[in-house]
PDB file of all heavy atoms in Angstrom:
ATOM      1  N   ARG W 273       0.796  -1.210  -0.032  1.00 97.00           N
ATOM      2  CA  ARG W 273       0.043   0.012  -0.009  1.00 97.00           C
ATOM      3  C   ARG W 273       0.850   1.317   0.007  1.00 97.00           C
ATOM      4  O   ARG W 273       0.259   2.359  -0.285  1.00 97.00           O
ATOM      5  CB  ARG W 273      -0.981   0.004   1.211  1.00 97.00           C
ATOM      6  CG  ARG W 273      -1.992  -1.098   1.121  1.00 97.00           C
ATOM      7  CD  ARG W 273      -2.817  -1.272   2.292  1.00 97.00           C
ATOM      8  NE  ARG W 273      -3.689  -2.449   2.269  1.00 97.00           N
ATOM      9  CZ  ARG W 273      -4.363  -2.986   3.317  1.00 97.00           C
ATOM     10  NH1 ARG W 273      -4.316  -2.264   4.478  1.00 97.00           N
ATOM     11  NH2 ARG W 273      -5.017  -4.064   3.143  1.00 97.00           N
ATOM     12  N   GLY W 274       2.149   1.155   0.267  1.00 96.00           N
ATOM     13  CA  GLY W 274       2.974   2.369   0.289  1.00 96.00           C
ATOM     14  C   GLY W 274       3.215   2.903  -1.046  1.00 96.00           C
ATOM     15  O   GLY W 274       3.613   4.076  -1.243  1.00 96.00           O
ATOM     16  N   ASP W 275       3.123   2.054  -2.111  1.00 97.00           N
ATOM     17  CA  ASP W 275       3.256   2.487  -3.487  1.00 97.00           C
ATOM     18  C   ASP W 275       1.978   2.113  -4.288  1.00 97.00           C
ATOM     19  O   ASP W 275       2.047   1.064  -4.999  1.00 97.00           O
ATOM     20  CB  ASP W 275       4.518   1.878  -4.073  1.00 97.00           C
ATOM     21  CG  ASP W 275       4.804   2.356  -5.523  1.00 97.00           C
ATOM     22  OD1 ASP W 275       4.121   3.212  -6.014  1.00 97.00           O
ATOM     23  OD2 ASP W 275       5.636   1.686  -6.169  1.00 97.00           O
ATOM     24  N   LEU W 276       0.955   2.835  -4.109  1.00 98.00           N
ATOM     25  CA  LEU W 276      -0.272   2.509  -4.682  1.00 98.00           C
ATOM     26  C   LEU W 276      -0.186   2.341  -6.225  1.00 98.00           C
ATOM     27  O   LEU W 276      -0.596   1.221  -6.793  1.00 98.00           O
ATOM     28  CB  LEU W 276      -1.341   3.549  -4.323  1.00 98.00           C
ATOM     29  CG  LEU W 276      -2.817   3.202  -4.609  1.00 98.00           C
ATOM     30  CD1 LEU W 276      -3.728   3.934  -3.637  1.00 98.00           C
ATOM     31  CD2 LEU W 276      -3.258   3.619  -6.098  1.00 98.00           C
ATOM     32  N   LEU W 277       0.410   3.307  -6.914  1.00 98.00           N
ATOM     33  CA  LEU W 277       0.484   3.208  -8.396  1.00 98.00           C
ATOM     34  C   LEU W 277       1.378   2.022  -8.798  1.00 98.00           C
ATOM     35  O   LEU W 277       0.993   1.274  -9.696  1.00 98.00           O
ATOM     36  CB  LEU W 277       1.029   4.515  -8.888  1.00 98.00           C
ATOM     37  CG  LEU W 277       1.201   4.626 -10.440  1.00 98.00           C
ATOM     38  CD1 LEU W 277      -0.109   4.273 -11.207  1.00 98.00           C
ATOM     39  CD2 LEU W 277       1.705   5.969 -10.867  1.00 98.00           C
ATOM     40  N   GLY W 278       2.475   1.935  -8.226  1.00 98.00           N
ATOM     41  CA  GLY W 278       3.417   0.860  -8.650  1.00 98.00           C
ATOM     42  C   GLY W 278       2.885  -0.498  -8.382  1.00 98.00           C
ATOM     43  O   GLY W 278       3.053  -1.429  -9.218  1.00 98.00           O
ATOM     44  N   SER W 279       2.191  -0.691  -7.236  1.00 98.00           N
ATOM     45  CA  SER W 279       1.661  -1.974  -6.954  1.00 98.00           C
ATOM     46  C   SER W 279       0.510  -2.336  -7.821  1.00 98.00           C
ATOM     47  O   SER W 279       0.451  -3.501  -8.277  1.00 98.00           O
ATOM     48  CB  SER W 279       1.112  -1.965  -5.468  1.00 98.00           C
ATOM     49  OG  SER W 279       2.231  -1.702  -4.491  1.00 98.00           O
ATOM     50  N   TYR W 280      -0.351  -1.366  -8.224  1.00 98.00           N
ATOM     51  CA  TYR W 280      -1.438  -1.781  -9.135  1.00 98.00           C
ATOM     52  C   TYR W 280      -0.867  -1.940 -10.542  1.00 98.00           C
ATOM     53  O   TYR W 280      -1.312  -2.925 -11.153  1.00 98.00           O
ATOM     54  CB  TYR W 280      -2.452  -0.500  -9.156  1.00 98.00           C
ATOM     55  CG  TYR W 280      -3.575  -0.735  -8.270  1.00 98.00           C
ATOM     56  CD1 TYR W 280      -3.645  -0.192  -7.010  1.00 98.00           C
ATOM     57  CD2 TYR W 280      -4.641  -1.473  -8.690  1.00 98.00           C
ATOM     58  CE1 TYR W 280      -4.760  -0.370  -6.149  1.00 98.00           C
ATOM     59  CE2 TYR W 280      -5.789  -1.738  -7.827  1.00 98.00           C
ATOM     60  CZ  TYR W 280      -5.851  -1.199  -6.633  1.00 98.00           C
ATOM     61  OH  TYR W 280      -6.900  -1.396  -5.754  1.00 98.00           O
ATOM     62  N   LEU W 281       0.096  -1.155 -10.966  1.00 98.00           N
ATOM     63  CA  LEU W 281       0.713  -1.394 -12.297  1.00 98.00           C
ATOM     64  C   LEU W 281       1.196  -2.792 -12.459  1.00 98.00           C
ATOM     65  O   LEU W 281       1.118  -3.468 -13.441  1.00 98.00           O
ATOM     66  CB  LEU W 281       1.674  -0.298 -12.554  1.00 98.00           C
ATOM     67  CG  LEU W 281       2.287  -0.275 -14.022  1.00 98.00           C
ATOM     68  CD1 LEU W 281       1.152  -0.133 -15.051  1.00 98.00           C
ATOM     69  CD2 LEU W 281       3.339   0.856 -14.210  1.00 98.00           C
ATOM     70  N   LYS W 282       1.960  -3.207 -11.375  1.00 98.00           N
ATOM     71  CA  LYS W 282       2.582  -4.524 -11.395  1.00 98.00           C
ATOM     72  C   LYS W 282       1.492  -5.599 -11.506  1.00 98.00           C
ATOM     73  O   LYS W 282       1.628  -6.555 -12.356  1.00 98.00           O
ATOM     74  CB  LYS W 282       3.335  -4.816 -10.126  1.00 98.00           C
ATOM     75  CG  LYS W 282       4.005  -6.175 -10.055  1.00 98.00           C
ATOM     76  CD  LYS W 282       4.828  -6.296  -8.755  1.00 98.00           C
ATOM     77  CE  LYS W 282       5.436  -7.737  -8.674  1.00 98.00           C
ATOM     78  NZ  LYS W 282       6.232  -7.877  -7.362  1.00 98.00           N
ATOM     79  N   ARG W 283       0.396  -5.462 -10.843  1.00 98.00           N
ATOM     80  CA  ARG W 283      -0.686  -6.445 -10.902  1.00 98.00           C
ATOM     81  C   ARG W 283      -1.402  -6.359 -12.268  1.00 98.00           C
ATOM     82  O   ARG W 283      -1.796  -7.368 -12.835  1.00 98.00           O
ATOM     83  CB  ARG W 283      -1.667  -6.218  -9.754  1.00 98.00           C
ATOM     84  CG  ARG W 283      -1.131  -6.658  -8.399  1.00 98.00           C
ATOM     85  CD  ARG W 283      -2.020  -6.203  -7.225  1.00 98.00           C
ATOM     86  NE  ARG W 283      -1.475  -6.790  -6.007  1.00 98.00           N
ATOM     87  CZ  ARG W 283      -1.831  -7.959  -5.456  1.00 98.00           C
ATOM     88  NH1 ARG W 283      -2.690  -8.701  -6.079  1.00 98.00           N
ATOM     89  NH2 ARG W 283      -1.291  -8.433  -4.311  1.00 98.00           N
ATOM     90  N   LEU W 284      -1.600  -5.116 -12.677  1.00 98.00           N
ATOM     91  CA  LEU W 284      -2.353  -4.984 -13.979  1.00 98.00           C
ATOM     92  C   LEU W 284      -1.607  -5.500 -15.158  1.00 98.00           C
ATOM     93  O   LEU W 284      -2.237  -5.873 -16.206  1.00 98.00           O
ATOM     94  CB  LEU W 284      -2.663  -3.517 -14.143  1.00 98.00           C
ATOM     95  CG  LEU W 284      -3.645  -2.833 -13.159  1.00 98.00           C
ATOM     96  CD1 LEU W 284      -3.642  -1.294 -13.212  1.00 98.00           C
ATOM     97  CD2 LEU W 284      -5.017  -3.382 -13.438  1.00 98.00           C
ATOM     98  N   CYS W 285      -0.314  -5.534 -15.055  1.00 97.00           N
ATOM     99  CA  CYS W 285       0.538  -6.063 -16.125  1.00 97.00           C
ATOM    100  C   CYS W 285       0.802  -7.584 -16.019  1.00 97.00           C
ATOM    101  O   CYS W 285       1.489  -8.171 -16.883  1.00 97.00           O
ATOM    102  CB  CYS W 285       1.857  -5.344 -16.236  1.00 97.00           C
ATOM    103  SG  CYS W 285       1.599  -3.582 -16.764  1.00 97.00           S
ATOM    104  N   ASP W 286       0.368  -8.158 -14.945  1.00 97.00           N
ATOM    105  CA  ASP W 286       0.523  -9.642 -14.812  1.00 97.00           C
ATOM    106  C   ASP W 286      -0.308 -10.344 -15.810  1.00 97.00           C
ATOM    107  O   ASP W 286      -1.482 -10.084 -16.037  1.00 97.00           O
ATOM    108  CB  ASP W 286       0.099 -10.054 -13.334  1.00 97.00           C
ATOM    109  CG  ASP W 286       0.552 -11.446 -12.951  1.00 97.00           C
ATOM    110  OD1 ASP W 286       0.091 -12.385 -13.653  1.00 97.00           O
ATOM    111  OD2 ASP W 286       1.319 -11.614 -11.973  1.00 97.00           O
ATOM    112  N   PRO W 287       0.323 -11.349 -16.527  1.00 96.00           N
ATOM    113  CA  PRO W 287      -0.397 -11.984 -17.596  1.00 96.00           C
ATOM    114  C   PRO W 287      -1.545 -12.909 -17.078  1.00 96.00           C
ATOM    115  O   PRO W 287      -2.462 -13.283 -17.876  1.00 96.00           O
ATOM    116  CB  PRO W 287       0.639 -12.829 -18.267  1.00 96.00           C
ATOM    117  CG  PRO W 287       1.718 -12.977 -17.281  1.00 96.00           C
ATOM    118  CD  PRO W 287       1.711 -11.763 -16.475  1.00 96.00           C
ATOM    119  N   ASN W 288      -1.546 -13.171 -15.821  1.00 97.00           N
ATOM    120  CA  ASN W 288      -2.608 -14.098 -15.289  1.00 97.00           C
ATOM    121  C   ASN W 288      -3.906 -13.298 -14.995  1.00 97.00           C
ATOM    122  O   ASN W 288      -3.924 -12.359 -14.183  1.00 97.00           O
ATOM    123  CB  ASN W 288      -2.056 -14.672 -13.912  1.00 97.00           C
ATOM    124  CG  ASN W 288      -3.038 -15.726 -13.357  1.00 97.00           C
ATOM    125  OD1 ASN W 288      -4.209 -15.860 -13.799  1.00 97.00           O
ATOM    126  ND2 ASN W 288      -2.604 -16.414 -12.278  1.00 97.00           N
ATOM    127  N   PRO W 289      -5.006 -13.724 -15.693  1.00 96.00           N
ATOM    128  CA  PRO W 289      -6.289 -12.966 -15.509  1.00 96.00           C
ATOM    129  C   PRO W 289      -6.729 -13.025 -14.031  1.00 96.00           C
ATOM    130  O   PRO W 289      -7.470 -12.111 -13.642  1.00 96.00           O
ATOM    131  CB  PRO W 289      -7.193 -13.758 -16.412  1.00 96.00           C
ATOM    132  CG  PRO W 289      -6.385 -14.438 -17.385  1.00 96.00           C
ATOM    133  CD  PRO W 289      -5.116 -14.721 -16.671  1.00 96.00           C
ATOM    134  N   ASP W 290      -6.328 -14.075 -13.245  1.00 97.00           N
ATOM    135  CA  ASP W 290      -6.800 -14.144 -11.872  1.00 97.00           C
ATOM    136  C   ASP W 290      -6.114 -12.982 -11.035  1.00 97.00           C
ATOM    137  O   ASP W 290      -6.527 -12.670  -9.987  1.00 97.00           O
ATOM    138  CB  ASP W 290      -6.429 -15.453 -11.269  1.00 97.00           C
ATOM    139  CG  ASP W 290      -7.299 -16.595 -11.857  1.00 97.00           C
ATOM    140  OD1 ASP W 290      -8.396 -16.337 -12.384  1.00 97.00           O
ATOM    141  OD2 ASP W 290      -6.824 -17.741 -11.825  1.00 97.00           O
ATOM    142  N   VAL W 291      -5.038 -12.433 -11.627  1.00 97.00           N
ATOM    143  CA  VAL W 291      -4.328 -11.340 -10.943  1.00 97.00           C
ATOM    144  C   VAL W 291      -4.743  -9.942 -11.511  1.00 97.00           C
ATOM    145  O   VAL W 291      -5.124  -9.035 -10.769  1.00 97.00           O
ATOM    146  CB  VAL W 291      -2.855 -11.463 -11.109  1.00 97.00           C
ATOM    147  CG1 VAL W 291      -2.138 -10.290 -10.441  1.00 97.00           C
ATOM    148  CG2 VAL W 291      -2.312 -12.729 -10.435  1.00 97.00           C
ATOM    149  N   HIS W 292      -4.729  -9.883 -12.887  1.00 97.00           N
ATOM    150  CA  HIS W 292      -5.018  -8.525 -13.426  1.00 97.00           C
ATOM    151  C   HIS W 292      -6.504  -8.163 -13.512  1.00 97.00           C
ATOM    152  O   HIS W 292      -6.770  -6.944 -13.362  1.00 97.00           O
ATOM    153  CB  HIS W 292      -4.304  -8.337 -14.771  1.00 97.00           C
ATOM    154  CG  HIS W 292      -4.858  -9.151 -15.905  1.00 97.00           C
ATOM    155  ND1 HIS W 292      -4.171 -10.166 -16.551  1.00 97.00           N
ATOM    156  CD2 HIS W 292      -6.038  -9.021 -16.593  1.00 97.00           C
ATOM    157  CE1 HIS W 292      -4.855 -10.610 -17.545  1.00 97.00           C
ATOM    158  NE2 HIS W 292      -5.995  -9.990 -17.569  1.00 97.00           N
ATOM    159  N   VAL W 293      -7.402  -9.067 -13.629  1.00 97.00           N
ATOM    160  CA  VAL W 293      -8.780  -8.693 -13.737  1.00 97.00           C
ATOM    161  C   VAL W 293      -9.281  -8.125 -12.397  1.00 97.00           C
ATOM    162  O   VAL W 293      -9.967  -7.060 -12.401  1.00 97.00           O
ATOM    163  CB  VAL W 293      -9.645  -9.891 -14.226  1.00 97.00           C
ATOM    164  CG1 VAL W 293     -11.118  -9.554 -14.145  1.00 97.00           C
ATOM    165  CG2 VAL W 293      -9.311 -10.274 -15.697  1.00 97.00           C
ATOM    166  N   PRO W 294      -9.119  -8.732 -11.251  1.00 97.00           N
ATOM    167  CA  PRO W 294      -9.578  -8.174 -10.040  1.00 97.00           C
ATOM    168  C   PRO W 294      -9.008  -6.805  -9.733  1.00 97.00           C
ATOM    169  O   PRO W 294      -9.625  -5.827  -9.246  1.00 97.00           O
ATOM    170  CB  PRO W 294      -9.273  -9.188  -8.988  1.00 97.00           C
ATOM    171  CG  PRO W 294      -9.103 -10.478  -9.713  1.00 97.00           C
ATOM    172  CD  PRO W 294      -8.601 -10.100 -11.070  1.00 97.00           C
ATOM    173  N   ALA W 295      -7.713  -6.578 -10.100  1.00 97.00           N
ATOM    174  CA  ALA W 295      -7.049  -5.352  -9.848  1.00 97.00           C
ATOM    175  C   ALA W 295      -7.609  -4.265 -10.789  1.00 97.00           C
ATOM    176  O   ALA W 295      -7.866  -3.093 -10.338  1.00 97.00           O
ATOM    177  CB  ALA W 295      -5.522  -5.461 -10.056  1.00 97.00           C
ATOM    178  N   ALA W 296      -7.919  -4.661 -11.983  1.00 97.00           N
ATOM    179  CA  ALA W 296      -8.458  -3.704 -12.952  1.00 97.00           C
ATOM    180  C   ALA W 296      -9.876  -3.266 -12.458  1.00 97.00           C
ATOM    181  O   ALA W 296     -10.234  -2.091 -12.525  1.00 97.00           O
ATOM    182  CB  ALA W 296      -8.549  -4.302 -14.343  1.00 97.00           C
ATOM    183  N   ARG W 297     -10.604  -4.236 -12.029  1.00 96.00           N
ATOM    184  CA  ARG W 297     -11.962  -3.895 -11.488  1.00 96.00           C
ATOM    185  C   ARG W 297     -12.038  -2.985 -10.346  1.00 96.00           C
ATOM    186  O   ARG W 297     -12.749  -1.981 -10.254  1.00 96.00           O
ATOM    187  CB  ARG W 297     -12.764  -5.216 -11.230  1.00 96.00           C
ATOM    188  CG  ARG W 297     -14.205  -5.056 -11.006  1.00 96.00           C
ATOM    189  CD  ARG W 297     -14.890  -6.352 -10.682  1.00 96.00           C
ATOM    190  NE  ARG W 297     -14.757  -7.304 -11.699  1.00 96.00           N
ATOM    191  CZ  ARG W 297     -14.186  -8.526 -11.546  1.00 96.00           C
ATOM    192  NH1 ARG W 297     -13.680  -8.919 -10.400  1.00 96.00           N
ATOM    193  NH2 ARG W 297     -14.016  -9.344 -12.614  1.00 96.00           N
ATOM    194  N   ALA W 298     -11.007  -3.213  -9.403  1.00 97.00           N
ATOM    195  CA  ALA W 298     -10.901  -2.344  -8.219  1.00 97.00           C
ATOM    196  C   ALA W 298     -10.550  -0.942  -8.577  1.00 97.00           C
ATOM    197  O   ALA W 298     -11.144   0.046  -8.099  1.00 97.00           O
ATOM    198  CB  ALA W 298      -9.854  -2.938  -7.273  1.00 97.00           C
ATOM    199  N   TRP W 299      -9.651  -0.788  -9.561  1.00 97.00           N
ATOM    200  CA  TRP W 299      -9.201   0.554 -10.013  1.00 97.00           C
ATOM    201  C   TRP W 299     -10.334   1.280 -10.684  1.00 97.00           C
ATOM    202  O   TRP W 299     -10.596   2.376 -10.421  1.00 97.00           O
ATOM    203  CB  TRP W 299      -8.001   0.364 -10.971  1.00 97.00           C
ATOM    204  CG  TRP W 299      -7.450   1.624 -11.530  1.00 97.00           C
ATOM    205  CD1 TRP W 299      -8.051   2.442 -12.484  1.00 97.00           C
ATOM    206  CD2 TRP W 299      -6.189   2.242 -11.295  1.00 97.00           C
ATOM    207  NE1 TRP W 299      -7.261   3.410 -12.803  1.00 97.00           N
ATOM    208  CE2 TRP W 299      -6.136   3.440 -12.060  1.00 97.00           C
ATOM    209  CE3 TRP W 299      -5.187   1.972 -10.442  1.00 97.00           C
ATOM    210  CZ2 TRP W 299      -5.000   4.177 -12.113  1.00 97.00           C
ATOM    211  CZ3 TRP W 299      -3.993   2.801 -10.422  1.00 97.00           C
ATOM    212  CH2 TRP W 299      -3.957   3.869 -11.163  1.00 97.00           C
ATOM    213  N   SER W 300     -10.993   0.542 -11.619  1.00 96.00           N
ATOM    214  CA  SER W 300     -12.018   1.134 -12.460  1.00 96.00           C
ATOM    215  C   SER W 300     -13.253   1.558 -11.627  1.00 96.00           C
ATOM    216  O   SER W 300     -13.858   2.525 -11.837  1.00 96.00           O
ATOM    217  CB  SER W 300     -12.391   0.232 -13.570  1.00 96.00           C
ATOM    218  OG  SER W 300     -13.187   0.861 -14.528  1.00 96.00           O
ATOM    219  N   VAL W 301     -13.643   0.632 -10.705  1.00 96.00           N
ATOM    220  CA  VAL W 301     -14.825   0.967  -9.821  1.00 96.00           C
ATOM    221  C   VAL W 301     -14.543   2.196  -8.946  1.00 96.00           C
ATOM    222  O   VAL W 301     -15.447   3.031  -8.740  1.00 96.00           O
ATOM    223  CB  VAL W 301     -15.180  -0.301  -8.947  1.00 96.00           C
ATOM    224  CG1 VAL W 301     -16.103   0.152  -7.841  1.00 96.00           C
ATOM    225  CG2 VAL W 301     -15.797  -1.330  -9.808  1.00 96.00           C
ATOM    226  N   TYR W 302     -13.273   2.339  -8.546  1.00 97.00           N
ATOM    227  CA  TYR W 302     -12.916   3.510  -7.765  1.00 97.00           C
ATOM    228  C   TYR W 302     -13.184   4.779  -8.531  1.00 97.00           C
ATOM    229  O   TYR W 302     -13.794   5.726  -8.086  1.00 97.00           O
ATOM    230  CB  TYR W 302     -11.432   3.428  -7.462  1.00 97.00           C
ATOM    231  CG  TYR W 302     -10.751   4.642  -6.921  1.00 97.00           C
ATOM    232  CD1 TYR W 302     -11.174   5.285  -5.722  1.00 97.00           C
ATOM    233  CD2 TYR W 302      -9.747   5.340  -7.604  1.00 97.00           C
ATOM    234  CE1 TYR W 302     -10.594   6.447  -5.201  1.00 97.00           C
ATOM    235  CE2 TYR W 302      -9.149   6.486  -7.161  1.00 97.00           C
ATOM    236  CZ  TYR W 302      -9.570   7.065  -5.961  1.00 97.00           C
ATOM    237  OH  TYR W 302      -8.944   8.214  -5.513  1.00 97.00           O
ATOM    238  N   GLU W 303     -12.723   4.783  -9.819  1.00 96.00           N
ATOM    239  CA  GLU W 303     -12.935   5.945 -10.646  1.00 96.00           C
ATOM    240  C   GLU W 303     -14.388   6.219 -10.893  1.00 96.00           C
ATOM    241  O   GLU W 303     -14.909   7.330 -10.931  1.00 96.00           O
ATOM    242  CB  GLU W 303     -12.188   5.745 -11.977  1.00 96.00           C
ATOM    243  CG  GLU W 303     -12.229   6.994 -12.933  1.00 96.00           C
ATOM    244  CD  GLU W 303     -11.263   6.962 -14.050  1.00 96.00           C
ATOM    245  OE1 GLU W 303     -10.290   6.219 -13.983  1.00 96.00           O
ATOM    246  OE2 GLU W 303     -11.411   7.724 -15.025  1.00 96.00           O
ATOM    247  N   GLY W 304     -15.109   5.155 -11.240  1.00 94.00           N
ATOM    248  CA  GLY W 304     -16.629   5.296 -11.498  1.00 94.00           C
ATOM    249  C   GLY W 304     -17.322   5.767 -10.289  1.00 94.00           C
ATOM    250  O   GLY W 304     -18.294   6.587 -10.410  1.00 94.00           O
ATOM    251  N   SER W 305     -16.985   5.401  -9.143  1.00 95.00           N
ATOM    252  CA  SER W 305     -17.569   5.753  -7.881  1.00 95.00           C
ATOM    253  C   SER W 305     -17.428   7.255  -7.569  1.00 95.00           C
ATOM    254  O   SER W 305     -18.257   7.838  -6.854  1.00 95.00           O
ATOM    255  CB  SER W 305     -17.041   4.945  -6.698  1.00 95.00           C
ATOM    256  OG  SER W 305     -17.291   3.566  -6.874  1.00 95.00           O
ATOM    257  N   CYS W 306     -16.377   7.867  -8.081  1.00 95.00           N
ATOM    258  CA  CYS W 306     -16.110   9.260  -7.844  1.00 95.00           C
ATOM    259  C   CYS W 306     -16.494  10.201  -8.954  1.00 95.00           C
ATOM    260  O   CYS W 306     -16.170  11.459  -8.901  1.00 95.00           O
ATOM    261  CB  CYS W 306     -14.603   9.469  -7.579  1.00 95.00           C
ATOM    262  SG  CYS W 306     -13.940   8.426  -6.222  1.00 95.00           S
ATOM    263  N   SER W 307     -17.083   9.669 -10.072  1.00 93.00           N
ATOM    264  CA  SER W 307     -17.377  10.381 -11.257  1.00 93.00           C
ATOM    265  C   SER W 307     -18.634  11.276 -11.266  1.00 93.00           C
ATOM    266  O   SER W 307     -18.751  12.087 -12.171  1.00 93.00           O
ATOM    267  CB  SER W 307     -17.342   9.400 -12.407  1.00 93.00           C
ATOM    268  OG  SER W 307     -16.034   8.913 -12.638  1.00 93.00           O
ATOM    269  N   THR W 308     -19.515  11.041 -10.407  1.00 92.00           N
ATOM    270  CA  THR W 308     -20.841  11.719 -10.529  1.00 92.00           C
ATOM    271  C   THR W 308     -21.079  12.447  -9.239  1.00 92.00           C
ATOM    272  O   THR W 308     -20.623  12.102  -8.138  1.00 92.00           O
ATOM    273  CB  THR W 308     -21.981  10.753 -10.802  1.00 92.00           C
ATOM    274  OG1 THR W 308     -21.975   9.715  -9.803  1.00 92.00           O
ATOM    275  CG2 THR W 308     -21.853  10.089 -12.143  1.00 92.00           C
ATOM    276  N   LEU W 309     -21.846  13.543  -9.339  1.00 91.00           N
ATOM    277  CA  LEU W 309     -22.273  14.367  -8.145  1.00 91.00           C
ATOM    278  C   LEU W 309     -23.056  13.508  -7.265  1.00 91.00           C
ATOM    279  O   LEU W 309     -22.801  13.520  -6.003  1.00 91.00           O
ATOM    280  CB  LEU W 309     -23.036  15.612  -8.603  1.00 91.00           C
ATOM    281  CG  LEU W 309     -23.526  16.457  -7.502  1.00 91.00           C
ATOM    282  CD1 LEU W 309     -22.347  17.064  -6.721  1.00 91.00           C
ATOM    283  CD2 LEU W 309     -24.323  17.644  -8.096  1.00 91.00           C
ATOM    284  N   LEU W 310     -24.002  12.838  -7.770  1.00 89.00           N
ATOM    285  CA  LEU W 310     -24.844  11.903  -6.889  1.00 89.00           C
ATOM    286  C   LEU W 310     -24.519  10.448  -7.243  1.00 89.00           C
ATOM    287  O   LEU W 310     -24.102  10.177  -8.336  1.00 89.00           O
ATOM    288  CB  LEU W 310     -26.351  12.187  -7.171  1.00 89.00           C
ATOM    289  CG  LEU W 310     -26.878  13.579  -6.916  1.00 89.00           C
ATOM    290  CD1 LEU W 310     -28.290  13.699  -7.227  1.00 89.00           C
ATOM    291  CD2 LEU W 310     -26.670  13.940  -5.426  1.00 89.00           C
ATOM    292  N   PRO W 311     -24.612   9.557  -6.286  1.00 86.00           N
ATOM    293  CA  PRO W 311     -24.287   8.164  -6.556  1.00 86.00           C
ATOM    294  C   PRO W 311     -25.060   7.594  -7.736  1.00 86.00           C
ATOM    295  O   PRO W 311     -26.243   7.880  -7.939  1.00 86.00           O
ATOM    296  CB  PRO W 311     -24.697   7.452  -5.249  1.00 86.00           C
ATOM    297  CG  PRO W 311     -24.674   8.520  -4.180  1.00 86.00           C
ATOM    298  CD  PRO W 311     -25.107   9.786  -4.862  1.00 86.00           C
ATOM    299  N   SER W 312     -24.336   6.903  -8.581  1.00 86.00           N
ATOM    300  CA  SER W 312     -24.983   6.358  -9.841  1.00 86.00           C
ATOM    301  C   SER W 312     -24.568   4.824  -9.963  1.00 86.00           C
ATOM    302  O   SER W 312     -23.411   4.623 -10.301  1.00 86.00           O
ATOM    303  CB  SER W 312     -24.524   7.082 -11.075  1.00 86.00           C
ATOM    304  OG  SER W 312     -24.959   6.431 -12.228  1.00 86.00           O
ATOM    305  N   PHE W 313     -25.451   3.975  -9.621  1.00 83.00           N
ATOM    306  CA  PHE W 313     -25.218   2.573  -9.795  1.00 83.00           C
ATOM    307  C   PHE W 313     -24.845   2.193 -11.195  1.00 83.00           C
ATOM    308  O   PHE W 313     -24.032   1.362 -11.521  1.00 83.00           O
ATOM    309  CB  PHE W 313     -26.432   1.730  -9.345  1.00 83.00           C
ATOM    310  CG  PHE W 313     -26.262   0.253  -9.561  1.00 83.00           C
ATOM    311  CD1 PHE W 313     -25.484  -0.606  -8.722  1.00 83.00           C
ATOM    312  CD2 PHE W 313     -26.885  -0.335 -10.662  1.00 83.00           C
ATOM    313  CE1 PHE W 313     -25.403  -1.881  -8.977  1.00 83.00           C
ATOM    314  CE2 PHE W 313     -26.713  -1.747 -10.932  1.00 83.00           C
ATOM    315  CZ  PHE W 313     -25.984  -2.475 -10.016  1.00 83.00           C
ATOM    316  N   GLU W 314     -25.588   2.859 -12.160  1.00 87.00           N
ATOM    317  CA  GLU W 314     -25.395   2.564 -13.573  1.00 87.00           C
ATOM    318  C   GLU W 314     -23.922   2.907 -14.048  1.00 87.00           C
ATOM    319  O   GLU W 314     -23.282   2.148 -14.759  1.00 87.00           O
ATOM    320  CB  GLU W 314     -26.364   3.425 -14.412  1.00 87.00           C
ATOM    321  CG  GLU W 314     -26.199   3.172 -15.933  1.00 87.00           C
ATOM    322  CD  GLU W 314     -27.122   4.098 -16.743  1.00 87.00           C
ATOM    323  OE1 GLU W 314     -27.733   5.041 -16.108  1.00 87.00           O
ATOM    324  OE2 GLU W 314     -27.335   3.893 -17.945  1.00 87.00           O
TER     325      GLU W 314
END
C-alpha cells in the first residue's frame, strides 16, 4: 500500500487474469464511484 500506483501497475501487467482482472476492476470501480455528483449505480 505504500506505493499504490506501482503496486497496481505490477498487478495490472501480470499475464494471469486471476491477478490482473480483479485489480483492474478495483481501480475502475474507484474511478466510477467518484465520477458523478450523486451516486450512480449505472
